Amino acid sequence: MSMVKGYCTNCNKENEGRRIFDVNTDVRFCYCPHCGKKYRPKVAAANYTHVINKYLRRARFFICNAGEFQNAYNLYAYVLELEPTNKTAKLGRMLSLAFLSTVRRNRFTEVKQLLEIEKDLFHEKNFAHQHYNEFLIHLENCTETYLINVKKALTLKSYFYDVDCIKLYFKHIRDVIELRRLIVSELMVIGVSANVSIISDEIKALEHQYNETCFTVDGQDHSLAHFGKNGEPIIVNGVKQEETHLSRYRMSTLDVNNKKKLNVIPDVAFPTTFARIFRTYEISLGLSIAFGAAALTMLVLYLIFNKLHCSVYMLILFIILAITDISFILLRILFGLTLKKPRF
């Protein structure tokens, strides 16, 4: 007897999890245990596969095309509620969690812990190692982009704003190194050696940064002494002093409650351009319909009252609304084409 999951399209519209039921593929017909609807086993199973794949495609679109990492994380988590063993959803949830890292807090420690718990599942022969390899490479690229963007946020012309920024940057480096070591280990397990040496060299380069001298905007040099028991970087001041020529700039800080009226460093670590494009794309259809309806209304009123003196204003308003409507239509088409191409 072979058991698979089936999906009922008829009942439990408010609770999708109750639509899923076990199906015996050896019988001629099966029935939904809640509403009693009759299915052929292959139809019920196909319904289930279609629904899960639909959510997975949507979640992949969110993370790869639209930059909507929170939506991707939520959707992958929802798939795991419906199918707790879905490996694609597990990988997608970890990758989207990594992209939810902010300047002040990275999520790489949580990703590392999740991966250590789940990694044996991705070593199994029935799982395509190519998918796992792609996930590991995307995860490594995520850490690289993250460090680049964070350093830009914490520095001004290569000088850190203050010691707190230096501490935070070294903490992020440590977390990235630990995650990359796990990535290298997993690539070796699945027999993909092409990127192992590259990532290993990148780890060594990051470790070398521990020995580099960092300067703050006031020209004072600082160095990493060691990491404390709680993982906090211990920074010591040196004796060097540089002339930074940055006094004309307004400085920034990580402290959101600072009393010196300094700029607060934004917490966004990854670009939000595509997320804004996606949100504009989503609302453009509704706006286009609304402006189109308003333009049509003005046109009808103009045709009815065209003999009145005020009809010219109706005509002008119709033209303005029509142009705005066309603009939203063109914007939706342009943004739709932009979002079709995955960024990774």
Side-chain angles (χ1 to χ4, degrees):
M1 182 174 67
S2 176
M3 301 296 294
V4 297
K5 294 292 183 181
Y7 184 91
C8 178
T9 58
N10 185 60
C11 67
N12 288 309
K13 295 182 179 179
E14 301 300 324
N15 186 353
E16 193 169 32
R18 289 174 61 84
R19 291 186 171 198
I20 299 171
F21 59 97
D22 293 326
V23 174
N24 180 1
T25 58
D26 295 333
V27 299
R28 187 175 181 184
F29 296 104
C30 62
Y31 300 86
C32 173
H34 302 291
C35 69
K37 184 173 176 63
K38 181 180 178 181
Y39 291 96
R40 290 188 178 275
K42 65 178 182 180
V43 173
N47 289 343
Y48 175 79
T49 301
H50 172 75
V51 168
I52 296 298
N53 288 340
K54 178 186 70 174
Y55 288 138
L56 291 176
R57 286 194 301 270
R58 187 63 174 170
R60 182 174 176 81
F61 170 82
F62 279 144
I63 193 172
C64 295
N65 299 57
E68 285 282 352
F69 306 123
Q70 186 64 62
N71 286 344
Y73 180 86
N74 293 341
L75 196 49
Y76 280 125
Y78 180 65
V79 171
L80 289 173
E81 288 182 14
L82 301 179
E83 187 180 287
T85 59
N86 192 291
K87 297 174 184 176
T88 301
K90 289 178 182 290
L91 293 178
R93 183 180 61 167
M94 285 187 280
L95 185 59
S96 53
L97 178 60
F99 276 106
L100 287 173
S101 300
T102 63
V103 169
R104 288 166 178 78
R105 181 187 177 188
N106 71 71
R107 298 286 185 169
F108 302 137
T109 300
E110 293 97 319
V111 173
K112 177 176 175 289
Q113 292 171 347
L114 286 172
L115 186 55
E116 287 176 332
I117 294 171
E118 306 280 8
K119 62 183 181 180
D120 290 341
L121 296 174
F122 311 119
H123 300 165
E124 297 174 356
K125 293 181 179 179
N126 61 350
F127 184 72
H129 285 172
Q130 180 183 355
H131 297 326
Y132 191 37
N133 175 44
E134 290 176 356
F135 159 76
L136 294 172
I137 298 304
H138 289 327
L139 186 59
E140 197 276 335
N141 290 338
C142 172
T143 64
E144 181 180 4
T145 303
Y146 176 78
L147 285 181
I148 293 172
N149 293 344
V150 164
K151 190 168 186 179
K152 286 181 180 179
L154 299 178
T155 59
L156 175 63
K157 296 184 180 296
S158 77
Y159 292 96
F160 287 92
Y161 287 111
D162 53 33
V163 175
D164 287 337
C165 291
I166 297 175
K167 287 182 178 180
L168 183 62
Y169 183 63
F170 278 125
K171 180 184 181 302
H172 290 330
I173 287 179
R174 185 202 60 189
D175 293 342
V176 166
I177 287 175
E178 292 180 356
L179 179 57
R180 286 186 179 180
R181 284 173 178 163
L182 180 57
I183 291 173
V184 168
S185 174
E186 288 301 286
L187 287 172
M188 293 176 68
V189 168
I190 62 176
V192 180
S193 58
N195 296 295
V196 168
S197 61
I198 297 175
I199 300 176
S200 298
D201 290 341
E202 291 174 350
I203 292 174
K204 292 177 182 178
L206 288 179
E207 290 174 334
H208 287 159
Q209 291 192 35
Y210 288 157
N211 303 319
E212 294 180 359
T213 300
C214 301
F215 286 86
T216 46
V217 290
D218 59 3
Q220 178 66 51
D221 72 311
H222 307 272
S223 301
L224 174 68
H226 57 85
F227 288 96
K229 292 183 178 180
N230 61 351
E232 187 73 12
I234 307 299
I235 305 297
V236 295
N237 298 338
V239 295
K240 296 179 181 178
Q241 188 74 29
E242 281 192 4
E243 179 55 55
T244 61
H245 304 287
L246 298 176
S247 57
R248 66 181 183 278
Y249 293 93
R250 186 179 180 185
M251 298 305 164
S252 299
T253 178
L254 289 166
D255 184 7
V256 296
N257 299 315
N258 76 90
K259 297 179 180 180
K260 297 181 180 180
K261 296 183 179 180
L262 301 176
N263 293 327
V264 177
I265 296 174
D267 213 22
V268 177
F270 294 97
T272 59
T273 303
F274 285 92
R276 291 196 295 267
I277 288 175
F278 172 73
R279 291 165 194 165
T280 304
Y281 173 82
E282 287 285 279
I283 65 173
S284 61
L285 179 60
L287 292 173
S288 176
I289 293 173
F291 278 103
L296 184 61
T297 301
M298 286 297 104
L299 178 61
V300 171
L301 290 176
Y302 170 74
L303 294 176
I304 294 174
F305 302 107
N306 62 346
K307 294 182 179 180
L308 299 178
H309 293 293
C310 63
S311 63
V312 65
Y313 298 107
M314 298 179 188
L315 179 60
I316 293 173
L317 190 56
F318 160 72
I319 294 172
I320 294 173
L321 290 172
I323 292 174
T324 305
D325 181 47
I326 293 172
S327 299
F328 276 113
I329 292 174
L330 294 176
L331 188 68
R332 181 175 175 83
I333 293 173
L334 177 62
F335 283 0
L337 294 173
T338 302
L339 293 170
K340 276 187 176 182
K341 184 177 180 180
R343 292 183 294 115
F344 60 85

